[in-house]
């Protein structure tokens, strides 16, 4: 048995007791539990007191991070070591938000001069476009269409929506799906002469993005004489972008040490910079950089990303809960669950460890969610009374951006807190029977109705509370989740920075295309053949 197996074994042994004890009882046993099982940083409060984690469990989880050498691995990441071992790459998205005076080396060369140069070019471009000095062929740019998918879409789309109160730039639209409906519905509202198209693709080969970009170029070509002049590219493949017809000085590049789903801090964030302006974009980067510094310096027991990761590991790899729900009580974070789906599931949805051996524990969980309070009227039924336990992660701000509608915000907060309380507290059969008695029921009918009204309770949740959703806070929150994924990946021994699992479907889609145009489909399975016949 390795040391890490011992750590998992200790946690398995603690689980039985921990799960048999009502979470609520932990609060009566320890009046300081809320303070002891929470951590603060800057304007954030991470409360994990409403989980079954007690002091011995937390100690064992912290030991797990020691066994997995999380701190060494963390420093290796920040130092630019090639920790993405299957692709032989450094993992340095943190450099994109590092302070201007940072020195970060990859294979001996400081990457920061290029980062600073690109940052300055983005700022200059954004300022000029926002001021109307860079204009379209029909006048100042009013609309920006970001064409990208996965990491080249989800981050900026999520952040642009999240920071809507700070918008004072052009309207931003996001087209990702190869379904023609997406681009057609987006472009039909726009004036081509006053639209900027951003082609966001690290590789500049992704089929969906290239297909949408070509369609946008054709659309623009119908209205302006030089469509390429209203395009910019965000890519690591400058030559391919130039071949597409985008001037080299309109290509904002980044290196292969920036993973797609970790890329919104650099050029992929251009739409956000255009929407909110370079100063707010800088505040967003500063928030993330502050979280990086916290992650590197804070003791593990007070370290927000580490603690959030520990709750994840406890729920998924020890307790065996298959999914986790992300429930932002913040309408403007409504794309956060989708963003985190890619971040977490593409990073830690792996079945083998770095050395190619099978994982001894389940991989990362299924991540899903919707904003509260909407979810309450949809899937919370299952969360409260279904047979599966779904650990929930609530996000809630102390203050909204609509002071004149503060009563809405009070309702939002009340609902958020009520849900985590209800999940923990539940309702016993005795309480349900009393309710039915009050309604005048008796006998078998009382019993039957009462059973439908029982909530098992003891269902864990974590709450991330923040003062207000500002650019800085958003940067911190996203970086918090990135590092959480990192810690979970290191403990599992996974490479969180590759994504081989997306390749097979891409290959088969390419091979299928000719079959939809009459090619011989005999080699396909019966189901696929029948579907081809139906669909063509
Ligand atoms: O298919 C998965 C993926 O490679 C993601 O990892 C990435 O974010 C997305 O596709 C888009 O890739 P690109 O930016 O190269 O177009």
């Amino acid at each position: 048995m390795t040391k890490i197996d011992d750590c998992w074994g200790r946690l398995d042994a603690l689980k039985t007791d921990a799960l048999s004890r009502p979470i609520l009882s932990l609060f009566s046993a320890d009046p300081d539990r809320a303070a002891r099982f929470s951590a603060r940083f800057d304007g954030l409060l991470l409360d994990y007191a409403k989980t079954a984690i007690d002091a011995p469990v937390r100690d064992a989880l912290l030991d797990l991070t020691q066994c997995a050498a999380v701190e060494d691995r963390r420093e290796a990441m920040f130092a630019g070591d090639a920790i993405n071992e299957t692709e032989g790459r450094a993992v340095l998205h943190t450099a994109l938000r590092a302070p201007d005076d940072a020195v970060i080396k990859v294979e001996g060369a400081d990457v920061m001069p290029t980062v600073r140069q690109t940052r300055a070019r983005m700022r200059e471009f954004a300022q000029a476009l926002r001021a109307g000095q860079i204009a379209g062929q029909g006048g100042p740019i009013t609309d920006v269409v970001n064409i990208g998918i996965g990491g080249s879409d989800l981050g900026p789309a999520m952040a642009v929506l999240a920071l809507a109160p700070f918008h004072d730039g052009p309207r931003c639209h996001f087209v990702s799906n190869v379904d023609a409906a997406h681009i057609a519905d987006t472009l039909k509202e726009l004036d081509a002469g006053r639209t900027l198209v951003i082609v966001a693709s690290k590789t500049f080969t992704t089929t969906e993005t290239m297909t949408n970009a070509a369609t946008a170029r054709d659309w623009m070509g119908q209205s302006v004489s030089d469509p390429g002049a209203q395009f910019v590219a965000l890519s690591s493949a400058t030559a391919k972008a130039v071949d597409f017809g985008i001037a080299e000085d309109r290509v904002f590049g980044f290196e292969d040490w920036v993973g797609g789903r970790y890329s919104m801090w650099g050029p992929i964030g251009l739409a956000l910079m255009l929407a909110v302006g370079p100063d707010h974009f800088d505040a967003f980067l500063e928030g993330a950089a502050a979280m990086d510094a916290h992650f590197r310096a804070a003791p593990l027991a007070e370290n927000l990303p580490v603690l959030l990761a520990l709750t994840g590991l406890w729920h998924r790899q020890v307790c065996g809960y298959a999914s986790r729900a992300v429930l932002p009580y913040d309408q403007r974070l409504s794309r956060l669950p989708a963003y985190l789906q890619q971040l977490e599931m593409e990073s830690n949805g792996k079945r083998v460890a770095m050395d190619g051996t099978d994982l001894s524990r389940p991989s990362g969980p299924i991540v899903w969610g919707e904003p509260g309070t909407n979810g309450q009227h949809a899937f919370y039924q299952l969360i409260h009374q279904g047979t599966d336990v779904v650990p929930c992660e609530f996000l809630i701000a102390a203050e909204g951006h609509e002071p004149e509608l503060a009563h809405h915000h009070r309702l939002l907060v009340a609902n958020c807190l009520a849900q985590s309380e209800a999940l923990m507290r539940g309702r016993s059969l005795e309480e349900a029977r009393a309710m039915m008695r009050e309604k005048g029921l008796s006998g078998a009918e009382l019993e039957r109705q009462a059973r439908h009204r029982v909530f098992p309770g003891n269902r864990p949740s974590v709450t991330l509370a923040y003062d207000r959703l500002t650019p800085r806070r958003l940067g911190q929150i996203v970086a918090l989740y990135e590092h959480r994924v990192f810690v979970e990946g290191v403990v599992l021994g996974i490479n969180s920075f590759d994504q081989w699992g997306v390749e097979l479907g891409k290959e088969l889609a390419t091979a299928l295309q000719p079959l939809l145009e009459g090619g011989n489909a005999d080699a396909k399975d019966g189901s696929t053949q029948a579907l081809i016949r139906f669909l063509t």
Side-chain angles (χ1 to χ4, degrees):
M1 278 239 286
T2 66
K3 236 171 131 219
I4 195 139
D5 289 334
D6 286 347
C7 289
W8 287 119
R10 245 173 83 204
L11 283 159
D12 288 338
L14 290 166
K15 178 180 89 173
T16 318
D17 248 14
L19 296 190
S20 63
R21 200 178 43 197
I23 297 171
L24 201 54
S25 71
L26 301 174
F27 288 91
S28 19
D30 175 5
D32 284 337
R33 178 169 172 84
R36 264 207 266 268
F37 290 82
S38 64
R40 287 168 193 255
F41 170 64
D42 211 341
L44 302 179
L45 165 67
L46 174 69
D47 179 342
Y48 61 103
K50 290 194 186 90
T51 66
I53 296 173
D54 59 6
V57 170
R58 184 173 55 195
D59 289 347
L61 287 165
L62 286 166
D63 285 350
L64 195 61
T65 63
Q66 299 291 352
C67 290
V70 166
E71 286 163 295
D72 292 349
R73 203 75 184 161
R74 175 189 68 193
E75 288 320 296
M77 173 173 74
F78 280 98
D81 294 356
I83 63 162
N84 174 353
E85 292 178 16
T86 55
E87 297 178 303
R89 290 177 187 167
V91 173
L92 269 185
H93 48 279
T94 50
L96 297 178
R97 60 217 191 196
D100 272 346
D101 57 359
V103 175
I104 300 172
K105 292 191 176 164
V106 173
E107 290 170 2
D110 185 7
V111 300
M112 286 310 290
T114 313
V115 169
R116 281 194 293 273
Q117 205 184 15
T118 306
R119 220 182 255 169
R121 283 181 57 224
M122 286 171 65
R123 169 176 270 273
E124 204 181 309
F125 177 78
Q127 271 165 341
L129 185 135
R130 285 161 53 87
Q133 291 147 2
I134 291 178
Q137 287 150 77
I141 296 292
T142 53
D143 293 86
V144 171
V145 179
N146 185 94
I147 296 178
I149 196 163
S152 299
D153 166 72
L154 290 163
M158 178 276 289
V160 164
L161 178 60
L163 298 181
F166 300 86
H167 284 199
D168 55 4
R171 288 181 289 268
C172 290
H173 313 266
F174 291 86
V175 173
S176 50
N177 203 323
V178 77
D179 183 342
H182 203 179
I183 192 145
D185 287 354
T186 307
L187 297 184
K188 77 173 176 223
E189 307 291 338
L190 305 183
D191 173 354
R194 304 186 66 178
T195 297
L196 177 84
V197 176
I198 297 177
V199 186
S201 176
K202 179 177 169 183
T203 54
F204 228 77
T205 56
T206 305
T207 308
E208 293 92 327
T209 301
M210 291 304 109
T211 306
N212 280 323
T215 299
R217 189 179 48 192
D218 291 348
W219 167 80
M220 190 152 315
Q222 289 161 20
S223 309
V224 306
S225 56
D226 184 5
Q230 282 177 224
F231 273 65
V232 302
L234 318 175
S235 184
S236 303
T238 306
K240 291 196 174 92
V242 171
D243 281 352
F244 179 85
I246 300 176
E248 195 164 349
D249 65 350
R250 289 287 172 84
V251 182
F252 297 90
F254 52 102
E255 303 297 323
D256 70 358
W257 39 257
V258 181
R261 55 193 172 275
Y262 297 88
S263 61
M264 66 188 301
W265 315 101
I268 295 294
L270 184 66
L272 177 64
M273 190 190 268
L274 291 170
V276 302
D279 292 345
H280 286 315
F281 189 79
D282 280 353
F284 171 66
L285 298 189
E286 281 158 21
M291 183 54 74
D292 294 341
H294 167 81
F295 178 46
R296 290 183 84 176
L300 298 188
E302 295 159 30
N303 194 307
L304 266 68
V306 172
L307 292 169
L308 192 56
L310 297 188
T311 66
L313 291 162
W314 168 249
H315 289 143
R316 175 70 185 121
Q317 280 76 25
V318 184
C319 301
Y321 307 141
S323 83
R324 73 170 154 246
V326 180
L327 307 165
Y329 276 67
D330 196 322
Q331 182 61 26
R332 295 195 180 101
L333 286 180
S334 57
R335 292 299 286 159
L336 184 72
Y339 172 79
L340 292 179
Q341 259 170 3
Q342 188 200 17
L343 181 67
E344 305 204 10
M345 293 167 74
E346 198 166 74
S347 297
N348 288 346
K350 314 276 165 72
R351 51 188 294 286
V352 294
M354 193 73 89
D355 61 5
T357 56
D358 288 348
L359 291 187
S360 62
R361 295 270 151 175
S363 67
I366 298 158
V367 176
W368 60 284
E370 276 288 318
T373 58
N374 294 3
Q376 289 174 207
H377 300 272
F379 53 80
Y380 278 40
Q381 165 64 41
L382 182 147
I383 289 182
H384 284 291
Q385 287 190 316
T387 49
D388 285 306
V389 173
V390 180
C392 294
E393 296 188 357
F394 296 97
L395 290 102
I396 179 80
E399 233 188 282
H401 285 279
E402 292 73 25
E404 68 289 2
L405 297 174
H407 60 292
H408 283 251
H409 196 74
R410 278 194 295 277
L411 269 171
L412 189 69
V413 174
N415 272 278
C416 181
L417 300 184
Q419 291 302 325
S420 59
E421 186 185 351
L423 284 167
M424 173 173 70
R425 197 176 279 279
R427 182 192 282 145
S428 68
L429 184 57
E430 254 332 294
E431 288 168 317
R433 281 180 182 139
M435 277 170 60
M436 293 305 95
R437 235 173 266 126
E438 252 177 55
K439 281 193 178 295
L441 298 189
S442 60
E445 184 58 7
L446 177 148
E447 194 60 20
R448 187 171 75 91
Q449 293 288 354
R451 290 182 64 80
H452 286 277
R453 287 159 175 81
V454 170
F455 289 64
N458 218 23
R459 300 201 159 185
S461 69
V462 167
T463 299
L464 181 66
Y466 43 95
D467 45 6
R468 198 158 173 261
L469 192 60
T470 58
R472 180 182 173 87
R473 217 51 87 217
L474 182 68
Q476 284 177 329
I477 291 172
V478 177
L480 163 66
Y481 278 98
E482 283 180 350
H483 294 320
R484 170 276 184 103
V485 169
F486 173 82
V487 172
E488 291 189 7
V490 172
V491 169
L492 294 172
I494 279 174
N495 180 3
S496 300
F497 301 101
D498 61 11
Q499 57 284 322
W500 301 110
V502 303
E503 295 303 329
L504 181 57
K506 286 186 196 173
E507 280 166 29
L508 292 181
T510 307
L512 259 162
Q513 233 174 293
L515 309 189
L516 302 178
E517 289 158 10
N520 184 344
D522 289 354
K524 291 288 173 193
D525 61 87
S527 160
T528 306
Q529 285 187 32
L531 287 166
I532 291 174
R533 278 196 298 277
F534 185 86
L535 292 167
T536 55

